[in-house]
Amino acid sequence: MTEQSQGPALDNLLTESRTFPPSDEFAAAANAGPDLYAAAEADREAFWAKQAERLHWDSKWDQVLDWSDAPFAKWFVGGKLNVAYNCVDRHVESGHGEQIAIHWEGEPGDTRTITYANLLAEVSKTANALTELGLQAGDRVAIYMPMIPEAIFSMLACARLGLTHSVVFGGFSAEALRSRIEDASAKLVITTDGQYRRGKPAALKPAVDEAVAQTPTIEHVLVVKRTDTEVAWTEGRDIWWSDLVDKQSDQHTPEAFDSEHPLYILYTSGTTGKPKGILHTSGGYLTQASYTHFNVFDLKPDTDVYWCTADIGWVTGHSYIVYGPLSNRVTQVVYEGTPNTPHEGRHWEIVQKYGVSIYYTAPTLIRTFMKWGKDIPAKYDLSSLRVLGSVGEPINPEAWIWYRENIGANRTPIVDTWWQTETGAIMISPLPGVTSTKPGSAQRALPGVSAKVVDDQGKEVPHGGGGYLVLDKPWPSMLRGIWGDNDRYRDTYWSRFADQGFYFAGDGAKYDNDGDIWLLGRVDDVMNVSGHRISTTEVESALVSHPTVAEAAVVGATDPTTGQGIVAFVILRGDAVDGGADAVKALRDHVAKEIGPIAKPRQVMVVPELPKTRSGKIMRRLLRDVAENRSIGDVTTLADSSVMDMISQGLNKGGSED
Ligand code: WT7
């Protein structure tokens, strides 16, 4: 079925067959027991209604789900709530104002301790500032910031005012920021002067200046001082955070918004060059973010210290740093920097310092820790840890076992959580107090969620069989569309299995003999590099926008650390004869500039031709064979089968790695 099904997950079926049940002690104290599955099974809508009651609603809904306009869902129809009130105020009102919400750890070692009372004051001040700038419910705000508390204040202030935020990862380029501002017609950008990158300050605002020079909808740029980097200033447009926010009142009364009021847009790569603005709304989203965070991580708000290592620029940061955890009155660590600054034990030093009990990270980082060696975590006291999580790509069993043994002291449950920007919250995952976990498998849909593995025809495959992962019933935190493009929404997610009405996630999967689900990677032209989604077409467009490039084809090749690495095959224009190291470097830098450093190809190979079918479609499967040093597969559909020989021969030229 899939071209990528040789991924690491499959190997595990052969190499690791142990399962790990929770200890009796863990199971007895767990937030979620087996009854949760039974309750969801008995009455799905009643089950979700019960989960929604975890939140404070200013007016209750009249209908749990309206699916009459499918695939556009409405959840908790007629209900009203304020998302920020649910994440902040109500914890202060219930007497937890002095509880620490955020232990913030800056990359250079500076720290801030933020209680729920502090958080309420800061979010209120920020909300008052945004109001002073003239922003009104429904307006869009771009947030382009490193992992500092003001980023979280900004997101929550938007939620509080009914503004729709669009967080753009601080590692993205000016061009990526510009296109996102333009697509959403944002009125404000919130940013910083600079950000720390591996111990050194790097300017950030110049990218904003470049982006907003071409986006007339932007009225103001609000700038937090983080690195004391010298910045250019446009009077009237640019405002220092300290000048505007600090002077505001710390009192602000939240207004209740409709359950379906837009909460945020988050752009993600698809199979075309243009990123999709995934739209999430309020009541259903917060319900599922909150429910999953509470049950999957077994959060005990009075005693746990939680740490999710994602960046707020990704959906994991939205759902499992901001909305899910704060709605559950978490005490959490937020870390600004990279895992090896200033040394490779930084994460474990932080776990030890704050007594982190729940740690949620990505397989690529676990494999990096493996590479650095187990002696590093062994130097720290990690005994506070009691739940470990993984997200972003299939976790290979070797990494899973290493994680359990070296971080989890052979004791902690590991939850491998499958979900997407589009799903808004975790969909498939073990429940740590219930499930006997299997290294490499995300296992079962959570209670209330329904997922199936189906064949080409949409028929469920038997145990032991593989196919496409689909979601066959609507869920509360599902995307409500692609911003400004309903047709693309229908086309992208609902057309593949239109007859059955399934949402197709883009992933291949299989059932094992127990019916547990194993994710096998994407089946479309989307790469997964260090848990980040990058489309092959997007990188190809960036490459062909360079004057020396005539044609480009990009594939994701298996990479031992990052999951996949980006490998580009380019044909240079006739007049650009030099395909040497300088040309290759220029192209890699060009992609980094167009999209962001995360999209920089691992290798660029200059080739005379690209393999194409007779209808002109590039055969990525063959390129992947070359990129992964496999013998080349079936070439019978190639228009000109000698092309592959030429490519293989050209291989040693132009490969490049930092
Ligand atoms: C894609 C979604 C969900 C937040 C981070 C990425 C892959 C994600 C897993 C997992 C196997 C996974 C899928 C999915 N993926 N988690 N536990 N096992 N694959 O969000 O950027 O929207 O990417 O990441 O391929 O479709 P995203």
Side-chain angles (χ1 to χ4, degrees):
M1 172 229 26
T2 98
E3 298 184 327
Q4 297 181 12
S5 52
Q6 303 95 336
L10 258 189
D11 301 344
N12 174 60
L13 291 173
L14 309 170
T15 59
E16 181 55 65
S17 55
R18 282 179 291 171
T19 60
F20 299 89
S23 69
D24 293 345
E25 197 192 343
F26 192 104
N31 291 350
D35 49 308
L36 210 61
Y37 290 102
E41 207 52 50
D43 185 340
R44 225 172 87 84
E45 291 193 13
F47 173 83
W48 280 118
K50 184 146 181 255
Q51 300 313 321
E53 279 159 17
R54 306 169 47 75
L55 307 177
H56 172 85
W57 294 81
D58 295 85
S59 354
K60 203 172 163 180
W61 58 88
D62 340 288
Q63 194 184 352
V64 174
L65 167 66
D66 178 359
W67 191 228
S68 58
D69 188 26
F72 298 91
K74 293 194 185 78
W75 281 86
F76 309 111
V77 186
K80 282 187 187 306
L81 80 172
N82 186 289
V83 168
Y85 174 87
N86 273 284
C87 293
V88 187
D89 308 43
R90 67 172 172 148
H91 307 318
V92 177
E93 289 172 13
S94 68
H96 298 92
E98 295 314 306
Q99 179 179 333
I100 293 169
I102 298 172
H103 289 291
W104 181 77
E105 181 86 13
E107 190 182 87
D110 49 337
T111 61
R112 287 161 75 178
T113 305
I114 298 161
T115 65
Y116 275 97
N118 301 147
L119 187 60
L120 177 57
E122 296 300 333
V123 172
S124 298
K125 278 161 50 177
T126 311
N128 287 325
L130 300 187
T131 303
E132 188 179 317
L133 292 179
L135 291 156
Q136 287 175 358
D139 287 344
R140 272 83 56 204
V141 174
I143 297 176
Y144 185 61
M145 296 171 93
M147 290 289 288
I148 59 173
E150 285 78 5
I152 297 174
F153 305 158
S154 297
M155 290 168 76
L156 290 168
C158 287
R160 194 173 185 90
L161 295 171
L163 307 172
T164 302
H165 59 68
S166 163
V167 181
V168 180
F169 175 54
F172 275 138
S173 65
E175 170 52 27
L177 176 63
R178 185 204 61 74
S179 64
R180 285 158 175 76
I181 290 172
E182 182 179 271
D183 187 72
S185 308
K187 286 192 173 166
L188 172 73
V189 189
I190 309 179
T191 189
T192 60
D193 53 350
Q195 59 183 334
Y196 287 100
R197 278 252 184 95
R198 298 194 168 78
K200 289 194 203 78
L204 190 61
K205 187 168 179 288
V208 178
D209 294 335
E210 194 183 325
V212 304
Q214 301 164 64
T215 52
T217 56
I218 291 293
E219 294 166 359
H220 293 288
V221 177
L222 184 57
V223 190
V224 179
K225 193 169 271 182
R226 173 59 184 135
T227 52
D228 265 322
T229 306
E230 207 46 65
V231 292
W233 206 251
T234 301
E235 283 306 328
R237 185 196 72 188
D238 298 350
I239 305 165
W240 285 111
W241 178 284
S242 53
D243 289 344
L244 180 71
V245 181
D246 290 1
K247 66 173 193 209
Q248 302 291 330
S249 154
D250 62 6
Q251 303 294 310
H252 180 269
T253 308
E255 183 190 332
F257 293 99
D258 192 272
S259 178
E260 285 300 332
H261 188 81
L263 178 62
Y264 68 82
I265 304 168
L266 185 60
Y267 288 82
T268 186
S269 294
T271 51
T272 71
K274 188 173 182 272
K276 300 174 294 219
I278 303 301
L279 175 66
H280 284 291
T281 60
S282 304
Y285 171 79
L286 193 62
T287 296
Q288 194 172 335
S290 189
Y291 153 77
T292 50
H293 178 258
F294 185 72
N295 290 296
V296 171
F297 299 106
D298 192 45
L299 181 85
K300 307 283 196 270
D302 293 328
T303 49
D304 274 319
V305 179
Y306 167 86
W307 182 16
C308 166
T309 69
D311 189 285
I312 49 135
W314 311 106
V315 74
T316 309
H318 286 61
S319 300
Y320 297 105
I321 293 177
V322 181
Y323 295 112
L326 294 174
S327 74
N328 287 324
R329 185 166 53 81
V330 78
T331 292
Q332 72 178 321
V333 170
V334 173
Y335 174 50
E336 182 188 34
T338 35
N340 52 351
T341 306
H343 59 81
E344 291 169 349
R346 187 74 190 266
H347 274 213
W348 317 124
E349 185 179 75
I350 292 173
V351 168
Q352 173 178 292
K353 175 174 174 187
Y354 295 105
V356 171
S357 55
I358 306 170
Y359 178 79
Y360 189 30
T361 196
T364 184
L365 196 56
I366 298 166
R367 290 191 296 263
T368 303
F369 293 140
M370 284 172 78
K371 220 162 53 180
W372 292 343
K374 62 183 181 191
D375 296 352
I376 293 173
K379 283 189 240 159
Y380 299 89
D381 177 5
L382 306 182
S383 60
S384 54
L385 288 168
R386 61 178 205 92
V387 180
L388 300 176
S390 171
V391 64
E393 57 175 313
I395 176 164
N396 49 309
E398 196 195 348
W400 196 105
I401 294 285
W402 188 94
Y403 195 26
R404 182 179 160 95
E405 286 178 350
N406 295 288
I407 309 302
N410 246 320
R411 169 178 53 81
T412 59
I414 297 180
V415 288
D416 174 6
T417 62
W418 179 89
W419 58 295
Q420 307 178 297
T421 305
E422 291 87 342
T423 70
I426 299 171
M427 302 294 280
I428 304 177
S429 164
L431 285 176
V434 182
T435 316
S436 277
T437 53
K438 289 180 182 171
S441 171
Q443 300 190 277
R444 285 181 69 181
L446 286 176
V449 172
S450 189
K452 281 196 171 95
V453 181
V454 301
D455 66 15
D456 249 346
Q457 308 302 312
K459 208 171 129 266
E460 188 165 18
V461 302
H463 289 182
Y468 301 98
L469 180 71
V470 297
L471 304 169
D472 59 325
K473 293 195 178 115
W475 61 100
S477 63
M478 68 192 292
L479 74 167
R480 298 304 196 258
I482 294 176
W483 183 257
D485 201 342
N486 288 347
D487 289 343
R488 192 174 178 199
Y489 170 59
R490 281 198 198 85
D491 259 24
T492 309
Y493 303 106
W494 302 92
S495 64
R496 180 67 184 78
F497 296 104
D499 294 346
Q500 299 83 353
F502 295 161
Y503 167 93
F504 175 47
D507 284 293
K510 69 170 285 165
Y511 289 128
D512 66 16
N513 292 331
D514 303 326
D516 279 321
I517 296 173
W518 297 69
L519 276 307
L520 301 175
R522 306 283 308 189
V523 299
D524 52 14
D525 292 330
V526 173
M527 299 173 287
N528 188 325
V529 182
S530 300
H532 302 316
R533 247 157 94 169
I534 300 168
S535 100
T536 52
T537 339
E538 216 177 329
V539 180
E540 285 164 5
S541 313
L543 284 165
V544 295
S545 75
H546 193 272
T548 62
V549 176
E551 222 183 319
V554 166
V555 297
T558 303
D559 184 286
T561 306
T562 60
Q564 287 189 310
I566 303 175
V567 179
F569 297 82
V570 297
I571 304 175
L572 296 181
R573 285 181 192 278
D575 48 358
V577 280
D578 173 26
D582 288 352
V584 164
K585 180 175 185 303
L587 292 180
R588 296 178 69 235
D589 291 347
H590 178 70
V591 175
K593 178 167 189 313
E594 287 294 303
I595 305 175
I598 55 163
K600 196 172 191 171
R602 186 184 76 184
Q603 280 163 286
V604 174
M605 301 185 185
V606 178
V607 293
E609 283 299 336
L610 290 171
K612 289 188 183 154
T613 60
R614 285 175 191 92
S615 62
K617 196 172 173 328
I618 293 172
M619 297 186 73
R620 288 208 174 77
R621 177 174 55 84
L622 298 180
L623 294 176
R624 213 174 289 129
D625 285 342
V626 173
E628 292 175 352
N629 295 320
R630 266 195 304 278
S631 61
I632 290 153
D634 181 16
V635 293
T636 48
T637 52
L638 260 183
D640 173 5
S641 57
S642 64
V643 167
M644 290 314 293
D645 296 336
M646 287 198 279
I647 290 178
S648 306
Q649 282 152 17
L651 262 192
N652 297 333
K653 183 166 100 172
S656 148
E657 202 156 340
D658 276 328

